[in-house]
Amino acid sequence: MDNMQSMKKVLPIFLSLIVIVAIALILTTGKKENDVPQISNPKGEFVKIDSSTFIENNEYYFTLLDKYGTSQLENDLLTDLLTNASTNYIDLAKNDEDFNIDEEIEKMKYESLTLAEAQKIHTAEEMAEFETDFEKNLKNSGFHNLAEYEEIFYLNHAKELYTRNFIYSELVTSEDSPIIELSDIAKFYEDTKYETANLIKIRFDNIKDATVLLESQNIEIDSSGDFVNEVNAADILTAYSNIYNNKYSYLNDTPLQEYSYDDLKEESAQLAKYVFSSLAAENDESEIASDLKPYSDLISFDGNQTYYLIYKSDGDKINDFKTFYSSLTDEEYNDILTTSPLSPNSANDTEVHRLLIDYIKSISSNSTEINDAMLDLKEKSELTIYDSYLKFSYDKFGYETADNEGSSNIVYSYKLNDVTKEINADTFFNRLNYRYAVPYSKNLIFRDLSFNEIYSDGTPSEVEDELTSQITSYKLNFQSGQYASFGFTPTNSTWKQFMVSNFKVRSESELYNSLLKSRAIEEHLEELTTTPELETVYYSKMVENYEKAFTIDLFHFLVYIDSDQDSKPDKSLNNVDWSDNQKNLASELLNLLRTKLNTISTTEEITFTALDAIYSDYLEASYITDKNDPDYSEYAKYKLAGLLLKTEDLSTVTEGQMADAFEEESKTMYDKMIAEDFNKLISPNNVETEFGFHLIYSHGTSNKLDAYKDDSNLTYPTRDDIDIFVSGDTDEELSTPITLFIETYYVPAKTEYITENQDDIIAEFIDNSNPVSFTNLSMEEEFYQFLKI
């Protein structure tokens, strides 16, 4: 009885607990569902802005689909297909020892340079700026961490590896006659794949220089360019080594350089052909080819006429290969072709097979070949895109399409290992959210906040009329074929397709809203950046830009080293590693040239022709340093140190065009010429840049703008002038010089500031507005962190 009574007392409490738990479970379940945006719940609020504005799930889905849908589909699809192919190409890419992912990332981070290369030419501050920008760009592109970014590189490399096998199976071992015949490979070998040769290669600008130096080594040359006295290979080797060491001593290389055909071909295809085709294969280290003259025939090298002294030892052993492939039967060749280039079989690891792999590698990195291979892969997977808008944006090839306009049904499907995989809109929406929602939210939210701010009282009728007229104009231009040069005509596409491709919208009403909101953003950004505080910043920047400005007409001499002999200055003094002796000689040479220019200027005007004559004298001067020799040259010691000279007419130079040190010296010359009313000036300083050492000569300047030409106390426009210009007040007119000054210096200063700081301006505006809240709390937290990057 007591138990029964106790039960009666406890049961209501127990039942209440069950109800509470059930309600809690329902609420929790509901919250979890709301945390995940669903297209199947299109009215769900993806993000709430202030108290009255909402962006719904389906609206956000469409904006992400418009902007990122095609790239997300491509990456998702190919990652699946390349992972689950007969060979896992993604893993293969990650395990490829020849693929350096760290170096690939470094090149993206440091403007196509590796870390080691960038450190040679950039300061620590510049390196830190590169790294900060890289991290910011990662976040802006939707990558949460570096590992996600690396996956894109691995995917791209996997595409190359797949393409290599695609080419192999489709072009080499197809049932039809293989496109690559054995004779083709033999020709490919002869053209590109010689054994490494040892050679001495010495470059000269004219034949006289080469002859003089050969004669200094007791080797006489007749008028036809042949040896006069009998010399053996040892004599030639000794002579060429001495000349090489003398001419290129600054390189600290051994006289015998290792060259492959490909290495030499990078410098000059004609030179490579000459060296490797003119030398007999049976030559050994003690002989030189009978038809090799002391210097080569005239060779065109990057548009310049250039001579070389060439000595080659060790044959290229091409006969070994010729013997091999000439005796190879078709059956043996077909056996070689059956081995995949991705996994060479040791039994068939022949010269032909290695060459075949190299050939396939050389064409498999071509973007056209990769695109063809990827298209084939997608067609084999029976890819079907059901959203016609996504399909049109994704690919112009003929995939099957079933238009569902982005409903919760299937967005795309494909076959993987004989199993059909279907991706619905909810799944695809979540993938887009993960990658792009946070960085793209800033743009959408600013758009809507700007729209509310500017057009809270309704759209002005004049704006509505203007935008409607603009759309009508676009449509009429399309229908009349005005966009044919862009690939759009009424016969090959529809007006809707044109809107999809060019404006990322699906209808005229969407286009109107897009243009309207762009106008709102433009006007609101102008409002945010037109404040007294920022106008002070723009004004200071205007004055700074004016003070830095100059316009000067320049010629210059450049002393440089061309260690790779491409007839161009090497990229950087740091990379070339100039010796102290060379630097001293470069300064000494420029001082000598300055003396010559000063001598000319006392009697006549210095023209570019005068500079060019000095350059020609240097070019033609001998290497003789003996003052008692009739061919003695005052330039010899500079030429023997490897210093080359060029002169250039730089025409009119202004700020921002030249290397920093060059620009600084040019500005100093400009200020002196303006202050002292000079019309010409030879720089008293030698300027060092990454290209070499410069001597600058100016033959004219142009005066800067002056807003108040008649007032010696005023140069810049006043703040009142700026206010009148910005407001567009037609009641007060500004003089032409003032308007021109503002347009030249103030407007660019403002544009530059807004361009550089627009992201921060927008982020600060959103952060200071009414709170923005996401359905998904983790996305909200990530969003506010993103605003602060």
Side-chain angles (χ1 to χ4, degrees):
M1 195 71 172
D2 291 338
N3 289 339
M4 182 65 71
Q5 288 175 341
S6 298
M7 181 69 74
K8 287 180 180 178
K9 290 181 180 180
V10 171
L11 187 58
I13 298 173
F14 180 71
L15 290 173
S16 298
L17 287 173
I18 292 176
V19 170
I20 291 170
V21 169
I23 291 172
L25 286 172
I26 291 170
L27 291 175
T28 303
T29 304
K31 188 176 188 312
K32 285 182 178 177
E33 287 177 351
N34 286 336
D35 279 348
V36 181
Q38 300 287 330
I39 299 306
S40 49
N41 179 25
K43 294 295 182 183
E45 295 168 4
F46 186 84
V47 60
K48 181 179 179 182
I49 308 168
D50 60 48
S51 59
S52 58
T53 307
F54 303 90
I55 299 179
E56 296 178 349
N57 285 343
N58 58 351
E59 180 187 357
Y60 209 97
Y61 171 62
F62 282 130
T63 58
L64 291 179
L65 190 68
D66 294 347
K67 192 168 182 65
Y68 306 110
T70 56
S71 58
Q72 184 68 28
L73 190 162
E74 175 83 0
N75 288 344
D76 286 350
L77 176 66
L78 291 180
T79 298
D80 272 4
L81 294 177
L82 291 170
T83 299
N84 295 282
S86 55
T87 300
N88 186 328
Y89 288 92
I90 301 292
D91 279 353
L92 202 64
K94 292 180 178 180
N95 295 319
D96 186 353
E97 295 179 356
D98 293 332
F99 182 70
N100 189 330
I101 185 68
D102 293 331
E103 193 171 282
E104 295 295 325
I105 299 296
E106 286 172 5
K107 288 179 179 179
M108 292 299 296
K109 188 181 295 186
Y110 305 116
E111 296 185 335
S112 301
L113 299 174
T114 64
L115 174 60
E117 291 168 342
Q119 286 174 333
K120 288 182 179 180
I121 61 176
H122 291 293
T123 64
E125 291 78 11
E126 289 171 334
M127 294 293 288
E129 187 176 344
F130 280 132
E131 288 155 14
T132 300
D133 289 345
F134 179 73
E135 293 296 327
K136 187 173 181 179
N137 289 334
L138 274 189
K139 296 290 185 183
N140 276 318
S141 300
F143 295 100
H144 297 77
N145 50 56
L146 185 61
E148 288 183 10
Y149 191 55
E150 289 177 349
E151 292 298 321
I152 299 298
F153 282 85
Y154 285 127
L155 174 59
N156 288 334
H157 187 50
K159 287 159 66 175
E160 285 189 27
L161 296 178
Y162 177 86
T163 305
R164 192 181 304 173
N165 252 10
F166 170 76
I167 293 170
Y168 181 80
S169 60
E170 295 295 321
L171 304 184
V172 180
T173 61
S174 59
E175 293 182 2
D176 301 329
S177 298
I179 291 179
I180 304 176
E181 301 284 357
L182 182 57
S183 58
D184 296 329
I185 297 183
K187 181 67 167 60
F188 180 65
Y189 183 95
E190 286 190 62
D191 287 343
T192 61
K193 298 295 178 184
Y194 290 90
E195 291 284 332
T196 298
N198 291 311
L199 63 88
I200 301 176
K201 177 173 69 73
I202 309 171
R203 174 185 177 277
F204 289 98
D205 294 312
N206 57 72
I207 209 165
K208 179 183 176 183
D209 289 349
T211 303
V212 167
L213 281 184
L214 281 172
E215 290 174 349
S216 73
Q217 299 295 320
N218 299 316
I219 296 177
E220 296 182 35
I221 312 299
D222 64 21
S223 59
S224 63
D226 290 321
F227 296 117
V228 173
N229 50 333
E230 284 192 17
V231 291
N232 57 32
D235 296 331
I236 294 291
L237 179 58
T238 300
Y240 281 26
S241 297
N242 290 340
I243 295 170
Y244 180 91
N245 285 331
N246 197 5
K247 185 172 173 61
Y248 298 124
S249 59
Y250 62 93
L251 293 178
N252 298 317
D253 281 343
T254 56
L256 287 178
Q257 299 171 283
E258 293 290 322
Y259 273 98
S260 69
Y261 180 90
D262 287 341
D263 292 336
L264 200 52
K265 188 177 180 182
E266 285 186 8
E267 297 183 24
S268 168
Q270 285 182 289
L271 179 58
K273 181 179 179 183
Y274 173 83
V275 170
F276 283 94
S277 64
S278 66
L279 302 178
E282 63 272 11
N283 288 340
D284 60 26
E285 293 183 7
S286 63
E287 297 179 357
I288 59 174
S290 59
D291 63 345
L292 179 63
K293 293 187 176 184
Y295 38 75
S296 74
D297 294 332
L298 191 63
I299 294 173
S300 177
F301 187 80
D302 284 345
N304 297 318
Q305 301 303 311
T306 307
Y307 289 87
Y308 293 88
L309 292 178
I310 300 171
Y311 179 90
K312 174 180 176 294
S313 65
D314 193 17
D316 56 36
K317 297 185 174 62
I318 190 172
N319 283 342
D320 294 345
F321 181 72
K322 287 182 177 178
T323 302
F324 169 74
Y325 80 73
S326 62
S327 62
L328 196 68
T329 65
D330 289 341
E331 289 76 14
E332 289 171 324
Y333 177 55
N334 287 330
D335 286 342
I336 289 173
L337 295 183
T338 59
T339 306
S340 167
L342 289 175
S343 54
N345 185 307
S346 57
N348 281 330
D349 189 14
T350 64
E351 180 72 17
V352 174
H353 186 251
R354 287 196 300 272
L355 183 64
L356 175 63
I357 294 172
D358 287 343
Y359 177 72
I360 293 172
K361 283 181 181 179
S362 71
I363 60 176
S364 63
S365 58
N366 180 285
S367 59
T368 301
E369 299 290 346
I370 291 176
N371 289 340
D372 289 346
M374 294 304 103
L375 175 61
D376 179 80
L377 181 62
K378 287 178 280 190
E379 286 178 339
K380 287 179 179 176
S381 67
E382 299 179 12
L383 171 63
T384 304
I385 302 176
Y386 293 93
D387 185 307
S388 62
Y389 172 76
L390 180 62
K391 182 259 178 191
F392 181 80
S393 299
Y394 175 73
D395 210 320
K396 291 186 178 179
F397 295 105
Y399 294 127
E400 295 180 22
T401 302
D403 193 349
N404 67 9
E405 292 294 341
S407 71
S408 59
N409 295 325
I410 307 306
V411 175
Y412 66 94
S413 69
Y414 59 98
K415 186 174 285 188
L416 185 57
N417 297 331
D418 295 326
V419 175
T420 299
K421 298 194 68 173
E422 296 181 337
I423 307 299
N424 63 33
D426 286 336
T427 300
F428 199 51
F429 188 21
N430 285 327
R431 291 180 181 179
L432 289 167
N433 284 337
Y434 177 75
R435 173 58 57 82
Y436 303 113
V438 166
Y440 193 52
S441 292
K442 182 180 70 175
N443 297 326
L444 281 182
I445 291 166
F446 180 65
R447 179 200 71 181
D448 281 15
L449 285 171
S450 300
F451 185 78
N452 292 341
E453 192 82 15
I454 301 295
Y455 296 109
S456 56
D457 298 328
T459 305
S461 58
E462 61 269 18
V463 173
E464 182 177 351
D465 291 343
E466 182 182 335
L467 296 182
T468 302
S469 174
Q470 191 174 346
I471 293 171
T472 301
S473 176
Y474 285 136
K475 190 170 185 178
L476 290 175
N477 287 341
F478 168 77
Q479 292 171 342
S480 63
Q482 295 292 315
Y483 304 117
S485 59
F486 300 101
F488 290 95
T489 66
T491 56
N492 68 9
S493 54
T494 65
W495 166 237
K496 180 177 179 179
Q497 289 173 337
F498 178 77
M499 288 191 291
V500 165
S501 288
N502 290 275
F503 300 107
K504 300 296 184 185
V505 296
R506 303 158 187 256
S507 65
E508 288 186 22
S509 61
E510 282 187 24
L511 178 56
Y512 177 85
N513 287 332
S514 174
L515 295 174
L516 180 61
K517 290 183 175 180
S518 293
R519 174 71 66 87
I521 289 174
E522 181 182 324
E523 292 187 12
H524 192 46
L525 190 59
E526 174 67 24
E527 184 177 292
L528 289 175
T529 55
T530 304
T531 65
E533 295 78 15
L534 284 178
E535 285 175 345
T536 299
V537 172
Y538 307 149
Y539 193 87
S540 298
K541 186 69 175 174
M542 175 194 76
V543 174
E544 180 186 338
N545 287 347
Y546 176 83
E547 293 296 336
K548 289 192 303 184
F550 64 93
T551 305
I552 189 169
D553 301 319
L554 298 178
F555 302 141
H556 82 128
F557 284 117
L558 169 65
V559 177
Y560 68 101
I561 289 179
D562 180 23
S563 61
D564 56 7
Q565 300 179 40
D566 64 353
S567 297
K568 300 173 184 175
D570 287 319
K571 182 175 183 181
S572 170
L573 285 172
N574 292 332
N575 290 348
V576 176
D577 193 21
W578 290 51
S579 68
D580 290 339
N581 180 54
Q582 285 172 315
K583 290 183 178 181
N584 292 334
L585 286 174
S587 294
E588 187 180 306
L589 173 57
L590 288 183
N591 291 336
L592 176 61
L593 299 178
R594 184 178 289 104
T595 300
K596 292 181 180 295
L597 289 181
N598 281 320
T599 301
I600 295 172
S601 67
T602 59
T603 58
E604 59 186 286
E605 183 179 347
I606 301 174
T607 63
F608 184 70
T609 302
L611 271 71
D612 204 35
I614 296 174
Y615 161 72
S616 297
D617 289 343
Y618 186 89
L619 188 66
E620 295 170 4
S622 76
Y623 288 84
I624 304 300
T625 57
D626 183 357
K627 291 187 177 182
N628 297 319
D629 192 298
D631 289 322
Y632 161 76
S633 168
E634 62 181 334
Y635 297 129
K637 63 179 177 179
Y638 311 116
K639 296 182 72 171
L640 287 170
L643 302 182
L644 302 178
L645 180 68
K646 71 185 300 185
T647 187
E648 289 179 303
D649 179 355
L650 297 174
S651 190
T652 301
V653 172
T654 61
E655 70 276 12
Q657 292 182 331
M658 313 301 288
D660 290 346
F662 194 102
E663 179 172 313
E664 184 179 337
E665 182 64 19
S666 301
K667 176 67 164 56
T668 300
M669 293 173 66
Y670 173 84
D671 290 340
K672 183 177 180 64
M673 292 173 73
I674 292 294
E676 302 184 23
D677 197 23
F678 292 163
N679 58 11
K680 60 183 178 181
L681 182 65
I682 301 168
S683 169
N685 304 308
N686 299 331
V687 178
E688 178 180 339
T689 70
E690 62 184 287
F691 303 106
F693 294 85
H694 309 257
L695 168 57
I696 308 173
Y697 169 67
S698 171
H699 55 96
T701 60
S702 298
N703 289 324
K704 295 183 185 180
L705 293 173
D706 189 339
Y708 289 90
K709 292 183 177 181
D710 299 328
D711 189 338
S712 59
N713 297 318
L714 288 175
T715 298
Y716 318 118
T718 65
R719 290 296 298 269
D720 289 340
D721 293 334
I722 301 292
D723 291 340
I724 293 171
F725 180 88
V726 171
S727 66
D729 190 345
T730 56
D731 293 335
E732 296 188 57
E733 285 192 13
L734 297 174
S735 69
T736 300
I738 294 175
T739 302
L740 186 59
F741 192 109
I742 294 174
E743 290 174 345
T744 304
Y745 293 110
Y746 181 83
V747 173
K750 179 178 181 179
T751 302
E752 179 185 350
Y753 178 87
I754 294 174
T755 301
E756 290 178 353
N757 298 280
Q758 180 170 312
D759 284 346
D760 293 336
I761 294 167
I762 292 173
E764 183 178 359
F765 171 72
I766 294 174
D767 214 13
N768 293 333
S769 300
N770 292 322
V772 173
S773 58
F774 288 80
T775 307
N776 187 316
L777 295 180
S778 62
M779 187 177 293
E780 182 176 321
E781 181 180 354
E782 190 179 347
F783 172 73
Y784 278 105
Q785 288 176 346
F786 177 80
L787 289 182
K788 294 175 174 58
I789 63 172

